[in-house]
Amino acid sequence: RAKNQGRHNYNFYTRELDTQLHERMTVDQAMRRGLENHEFLLHFQPRVELASGRIHSLEALVRWQHPEWGLVSPGRFIPLAEETGFILALGPEILRQVCQQIRAWEAAGLEAPPVAVNLSGREFQQKGLVERTLETLKETGVEPGHIEFEITESAAMRSVERTIRILSRMHEQGFHISIDDFGTAYSSLNYLKRLPVQAIKIDQSFVMDLGDDPDAHPEDAAIVRAIIGLGETLGLEVIAEGVETAAQQRFLLAHGCRIGQGFLFSRPQPAEVIAQYLPSRTKAIATQASRGRS
Ligand code: C2E
Ligand code: MG
Ligand code: MG
Ligand code: MG
């Protein structure tokens, strides 16, 4: 009996495993087909100056427009794409789309702000990343200074010496770099000091924990203040993620955080919607010219 039951359990788990493997393979195949069929698109979320609401930069966030499943959010496919390695095909396509979008906004007479692109740990570990990136920028005619790479704290800390080497080369080429989801990986401050990065992004969980009344959450408030203070000490820009309430905005501003992004200001939006918020280049030039005259 025990043997039968054991075998039964074995079969049960095998079947479940089969289903899981099958699903993963199905999704991986669907992603690969999706890439060929141009089903991946970008939304952009403004990062704003907390004091004025002006756009400081944008973050590009990928979505998958699947013919049957609809618009699939990255949380549902990026982890699998990392596991299967599909991200190594998708990542370069995302960067290319970002560059093409920057050129398209410029061609429409708009001022394209700097755009932040998320780099997954897997992409970051791949050989030739910097060369391929530069190649894409050259082909599309975008300056490295227009692009910022976001790498998560946990990915950055996986192999610190290597991270420092790669980020240094990116930095030399003129790219901006920020540490995403900061505060979630318990990284050594000693290492953080050595990374050639310009910004840290306070993970949205800390901002959300402030709730609608930061005074009512003294520990959470202390953590956010500590991260802002750390950024100041190291000379880094601090960007708050997940700002959803005016109280959070006020708290962040009051404690020296200049830049934020979150639903309070804007959800990630398609490029056409973002275009409505971008200043026109001719206006900018005209303003400069009139200033020059006066
Ligand atoms: P992330 O880079 O930390 O991006 C921030 C996520 O928080 C985005 O989710 C954004 O839509 C969401 N968010 C922004 N403001 C708020 C807010 O006020 N409240 C709440 N509740 N959420 C907010 P999204 O677009 O679903 O992306 C999830 C994650 O997927 C990203 O986290 C990033 O790790 C990954 N991801 C997205 N696009 C890419 C990409 O192009 N490449 C790679 N490698 N990863 C990506
Ligand atoms: Mg990010
Ligand atoms: Mg983040
Ligand atoms: Mg995240």
Side-chain angles (χ1 to χ4, degrees), residues 8 20 106 157 165-166 182 217 225 233 236 262 264-265 284:
H8 176 79
Q20 278 182 12
E106 287 176 347
M157 295 304 159
R165 263 203 323 275
I166 297 173
F182 186 80
H217 303 91
R225 284 203 314 269
T233 305
L236 303 174
L264 178 64
F265 310 108

Side-chain angles (χ1 to χ4, degrees), residues 63-274:
R63 272 93 182 92
W64 180 11
Q65 183 67 62
H66 188 275
E68 284 150 50
W69 305 335
L71 198 65
V72 187
S73 67
R76 298 198 33 218
F77 64 86
I78 290 283
L80 180 65
E82 282 220 36
E83 242 179 84
T84 64
F86 172 68
I87 191 72
L88 300 179
L90 180 61
E93 175 58 25
I94 290 170
L95 180 66
R96 179 171 301 278
Q97 279 191 37
V98 164
C99 292
Q100 286 167 345
Q101 188 58 62
I102 288 173
R103 293 310 305 263
W105 279 324
E106 287 176 347
L110 301 169
E111 244 184 285
V115 181
V117 180
N118 290 283
L119 265 189
S120 78
R122 185 87 183 248
E123 288 175 87
F124 193 68
Q125 275 152 28
Q126 204 196 18
K127 279 213 182 91
L129 170 71
V130 182
E131 291 75 10
R132 267 197 314 281
T133 299
L134 287 169
E135 191 60 33
T136 301
L137 267 75
K138 229 168 90 188
E139 280 168 29
T140 49
V142 170
E143 295 294 321
H146 228 116
I147 302 288
E148 173 177 317
F149 286 112
E150 294 191 5
I151 170 159
T152 62
E153 183 184 19
S154 60
M157 295 304 159
R158 225 165 276 160
S159 163
V160 176
E161 297 304 328
R162 197 182 136 73
T163 298
I164 293 172
R165 263 203 323 275
I166 297 173
L167 292 187
S168 301
R169 288 183 46 218
M170 291 181 149
H171 182 58
E172 279 163 24
Q173 295 295 333
F175 293 105
H176 288 245
I177 300 146
S178 57
I179 302 293
D180 204 355
D181 303 351
F182 186 80
T184 57
Y186 316 100
S187 55
S188 151
L189 299 183
N190 204 30
Y191 285 137
L192 181 63
K193 191 179 74 180
R194 295 177 54 206
L195 297 185
V197 304
Q198 289 74 55
I200 49 179
K201 300 186 72 181
I202 309 177
D203 187 66
Q204 54 188 35
S205 61
F206 299 112
V207 178
M208 283 169 187
D209 286 345
L210 294 175
D212 205 25
D213 182 7
D215 289 338
H217 303 91
E219 280 112 358
D220 301 308
I223 292 175
V224 171
R225 284 203 314 269
I227 297 178
I228 297 170
L230 180 67
E232 271 171 8
T233 305
L234 296 176
L236 303 174
E237 188 79 76
V238 179
I239 302 169
E241 286 192 285
V243 184
E244 293 190 351
T245 71
Q248 291 164 355
Q249 176 187 18
R250 275 194 302 275
F251 178 87
L252 290 161
L253 258 179
H255 294 94
C257 178
R258 260 185 6 106
I259 315 290
Q261 78 186 79
F263 296 171
L264 178 64
F265 310 108
S266 168
R267 286 180 179 261
Q269 307 264 24
E272 314 85 74
V273 178
I274 293 295

